[in-house]
Amino acid sequence: MPNYFAFQWHITEACDQRCKHCYIYANNPGKMPASMAWSKMQHVVDQCVAMCRKFDRMPEFYLTGGDPLLHPDFWRLVELLRDMNIPFTILGNPYHLDNDVCKRLKRNGCQRYQLSLDGMRSTHNWFRKHGAFDATLAAIPLLRRVGIETVLMSTVSGRNIEEIPDVLDIAVENKADVFAFTRYVPAKGEADNGIDPLDYRRLLDACNQRMSEYQRRGCSTWLDRKDHLWTLYAYEQGEFVIPDDAIPGVIYDGCNCGNCHLTILPDGDVLACRRVNGSRVGNVFKDTLSRLWLGPLERFREYEAFKKCGKCPLLAWCRGCPAVAKAVTGDFYGVDPQCWRKADA
């Protein structure tokens, strides 16, 4: 098992945007944004730390929302984490970043700041709001100047898949430390995310070739091959080989849902993954996280139950994205619709 446990903590739903692919407002555009009270935030920190001590792991906090900087007690929270010597990552927007804010984030232990870039200017602004593209790029040097790692993340769908290699170019040109992408998880009422499996493989191939060329030139930007179908691609390319000493039944990599990751929402609800619809397993104010991890989260760790992955030699390293599979097939263990590997191959 890894030596960490990742908590994606949505401390508020307040946000300057209403993105077209946002989970919070996808099925309820008129929803009033919720935020967690300060006393409850302290309880959450205590719960997370207690769980990690019990299982001999280090806590990793990913503070998000909404935009976490809009929470009225945001700075009290990060100062608490600083005093406990717990570093954190922020998944947020660029709109409230300036030199002073970035310096303050760094002083309080912020290691990295993830920003979204979902296409070239017109496409990204269509997803987010007017001016969002330029605001995102303007935030990169502010963060880098104080030593906070910058991550540019794209959400890929049929709407923007053709633009992603160009977004990679933008990440490199603007000296982002990391570029990555994940796939859009269809919301209720959508049949799929509009991505053909072979088109998705071509995207991985294009980005891999482009990044390899950048690396040959000494580029400092790192392509985070976050989607687990990168493992299938690397396997086909001969870049990933199943280790001879791999132990049958042991999970080495792939989706962290139910394993070393969970999500906490502003109302305290605990989810196996924010991207997996229907993955609520309890509430942090009514249950202990340790009990949830050893209890309800077990249903996301039945690895042999994967319909297609269970028969694949890459089961212990890949498993695609169960969130996309669940959204499209209704089954967490269903077939990842973008996996191009034939079931009997």
Side-chain angles (χ1 to χ4, degrees):
M1 299 294 288
N3 64 353
Y4 68 90
F5 207 103
F7 303 95
Q8 187 184 93
W9 186 3
H10 297 249
I11 62 175
T12 182
E13 293 174 340
C15 191
D16 299 302
Q17 304 180 125
R18 288 294 182 271
C19 302
K20 291 179 172 61
H21 51 306
C22 177
Y23 302 110
I24 299 172
Y25 302 99
N27 298 313
N28 186 6
K31 185 180 189 296
M32 292 297 294
S35 290
M36 186 178 288
W38 171 240
S39 60
K40 293 187 174 182
M41 294 167 78
Q42 293 171 290
H43 176 82
V44 170
V45 173
D46 291 342
Q47 273 258 36
C48 295
V49 171
M51 176 185 178
C52 288
R53 284 175 179 163
K54 183 180 178 75
F55 298 110
D56 194 25
R57 300 204 187 181
M58 295 295 295
E60 288 193 2
F61 283 100
Y62 293 80
L63 305 180
T64 187
D67 187 342
L69 271 69
L70 291 177
H71 193 291
D73 292 306
F74 170 78
W75 292 109
R76 291 177 76 183
L77 174 60
V78 298
E79 286 164 5
L80 174 63
L81 297 179
R82 177 203 64 200
D83 292 344
M84 299 177 73
N85 198 29
I86 300 174
F88 60 91
T89 293
I90 292 180
L91 318 180
N93 294 329
Y95 306 113
H96 303 282
L97 297 177
D98 58 28
N99 283 321
D100 290 338
V101 168
C102 291
K103 289 177 182 177
R104 193 174 178 186
L105 286 171
K106 180 65 176 178
R107 285 198 305 269
N108 284 290
C110 180
Q111 290 191 322
R112 64 190 67 83
Y113 200 108
Q114 179 177 299
L115 297 156
S116 295
L117 202 64
D118 294 316
M120 301 304 283
R121 181 175 283 101
S122 61
T123 299
H124 179 77
N125 289 348
W126 178 83
F127 275 118
R128 306 272 169 174
K129 71 175 185 179
H130 179 72
F133 182 89
D134 293 316
T136 297
L137 297 187
I140 296 174
L142 295 175
L143 293 162
R144 284 178 52 85
R145 192 174 298 132
V146 300
I148 295 176
E149 185 177 84
T150 59
V151 181
L152 286 186
M153 172 67 73
S154 295
T155 299
V156 183
S157 66
R159 171 90 186 193
N160 66 354
I161 187 170
E162 298 297 330
E163 297 182 28
I164 299 303
D166 293 332
V167 177
L168 188 159
D169 290 342
I170 292 292
V172 171
E173 291 167 11
N174 287 270
K175 295 182 170 57
D177 294 292
V178 180
F179 173 69
F181 53 81
T182 57
R183 285 171 282 154
Y184 172 60
V185 177
K188 186 177 180 181
E190 295 178 295
D192 55 41
N193 55 17
I195 306 174
D196 177 82
L198 292 182
D199 285 342
Y200 193 62
R201 189 191 185 284
R202 280 188 281 271
L203 170 64
L204 301 190
D205 191 51
C207 288
N208 187 62
Q209 292 188 35
R210 200 167 292 198
M211 197 70 237
S212 296
E213 177 58 31
Y214 279 128
Q215 288 173 335
R216 280 193 289 271
R217 301 179 198 170
C219 170
S220 61
T221 301
W222 174 51
L223 175 62
D224 182 2
R225 293 165 173 81
K226 186 176 176 69
D227 192 318
H228 305 300
L229 288 180
W230 274 109
T231 303
L232 171 58
Y233 173 82
Y235 181 70
E236 293 179 342
Q237 297 294 109
E239 297 171 1
F240 172 74
V241 178
I242 296 175
D244 292 334
D245 58 354
I247 302 171
V250 172
I251 298 300
Y252 292 94
D253 203 348
C255 176
N256 285 329
C257 182
N259 187 341
C260 57
H261 164 94
L262 57 79
T263 296
I264 301 171
L265 299 185
D267 62 1
D269 277 353
V270 179
L271 282 58
C273 175
R274 187 66 182 90
R275 290 162 54 85
V276 178
N277 186 36
S279 69
R280 182 186 182 278
V281 294
N283 188 283
V284 71
F285 305 124
K286 300 176 182 178
D287 308 281
T288 65
L289 295 179
S290 300
R291 189 194 72 79
L292 296 179
W293 191 61
L294 293 176
L297 281 164
E298 288 280 3
R299 66 185 171 96
F300 298 96
R301 300 196 286 263
E302 299 171 7
Y303 302 110
E304 298 300 327
F306 281 99
K307 300 292 190 296
K308 182 178 177 182
C309 302
K311 305 177 183 67
C312 179
L314 297 176
L315 172 67
W317 293 272
C318 178
R319 302 182 300 286
C321 182
V324 178
K326 174 70 163 59
V328 175
T329 71
D331 182 3
F332 178 84
Y333 294 104
V335 177
D336 183 324
Q338 274 75 59
C339 178
W340 60 86
R341 180 182 171 88
K342 293 183 179 178
D344 57 351

